[in-house]
Amino acid sequence: MSQEVSETVTQPAIVIRKGKRSELKELIEVYRSGYEGLEEYAETGEEDIYDYLEWLYDDDPNGFLVAEIEGELVGFISVHADWWDRRYQRRTAEFHELVVKKDWQNKGVGKALMMAGLDYARAQGCEYASLWVGERNWKAREWYRRLGFEEAGKGWGVWVRMIKKLRNES
């Protein structure tokens, strides 16, 4: 008689928390790694990346969230909860950036960040969430669609606008 042994593999816990200005330099490598193969949509120079991260952080520090696994920063999201969308003439939670380090992609980090970002947007009373995604970034476009975002136009040649209606639950 043989006995099957089942092995349980546990994933390390993903901690989502408010990012700190002091972590921006460390996030440069997370950004570079996350944009590997998609450089046409990214800043590339270290100083440019840092300036961009600083802008994201300053834009809405409470909406700048990081993902940490066993003490390592593996991703971040930047949500500006009081953004005015000129094209659609409405207030929205603008998701400026969602980046996950290459080694941690497809392991739930991006979804955890997105859910935390959507929770933040709802807590700020936002009725809509919106973002821009690279038109040839098919993987991300499909992923956003599965999360309820709808394509709503194009801009600046290589970007697709996506919008999601948020339901504020009381």
Side-chain angles (χ1 to χ4, degrees):
M1 195 188 259
S2 72
Q3 193 174 19
E4 283 188 41
V5 177
S6 93
E7 221 176 282
T8 305
V9 178
T10 53
Q11 288 276 72
I14 301 168
V15 175
I16 306 296
R17 62 170 174 77
K18 188 176 172 298
K20 300 173 195 156
R21 177 180 288 285
S22 61
E23 296 171 315
L24 297 180
K25 282 225 184 280
E26 191 178 341
L27 290 172
I28 292 171
E29 283 312 309
V30 172
Y31 180 88
R32 277 195 173 128
S33 174
Y35 271 100
E36 201 173 295
L38 295 165
E39 289 85 1
E40 68 187 290
Y41 303 117
E43 298 294 340
T44 53
E46 188 164 327
E47 191 174 318
D48 292 335
I49 295 170
Y50 183 80
D51 289 347
Y52 177 58
L53 292 172
E54 200 170 44
W55 178 80
L56 293 173
Y57 182 86
D58 290 342
D59 198 37
D60 188 343
N62 293 317
F64 191 91
L65 308 173
V66 296
E68 186 178 64
I69 297 177
E70 297 178 340
E72 178 190 359
L73 292 177
V74 297
F76 67 91
I77 192 167
S78 170
V79 183
H80 185 163
D82 193 22
W83 189 260
W84 182 254
D85 187 320
R86 289 186 305 234
R87 182 183 285 190
Y88 296 99
Q89 294 296 302
R90 67 176 148 217
R91 179 176 173 254
T92 183
E94 186 68 19
F95 283 61
H96 288 298
E97 197 66 69
L98 171 59
V99 178
V100 176
K101 204 170 186 179
K102 194 119 184 135
D103 294 348
W104 288 99
Q105 291 177 5
N106 302 310
K107 295 180 181 175
V109 175
K111 188 166 187 183
L113 283 164
M114 178 56 82
M115 293 304 112
L118 290 169
D119 287 346
Y120 173 70
R122 286 185 189 99
Q124 302 310 303
C126 296
E127 193 177 339
Y128 294 91
S130 52
L131 56 87
W132 291 96
V133 61
E135 68 180 344
R136 286 188 288 281
N137 190 347
W138 301 109
K139 183 177 165 186
R141 286 172 67 181
E142 179 54 35
W143 186 74
Y144 290 130
R145 273 195 288 275
R146 287 195 311 268
L147 292 174
F149 283 83
E150 296 177 5
E151 293 191 4
K154 291 190 176 186
W156 301 288
V158 298
W159 300 98
V160 174
R161 186 70 168 157
M162 297 188 83
I163 297 173
K164 175 183 175 77
K165 177 117 171 75
L166 303 176
R167 288 176 176 64
N168 289 322
E169 297 166 12
S170 29

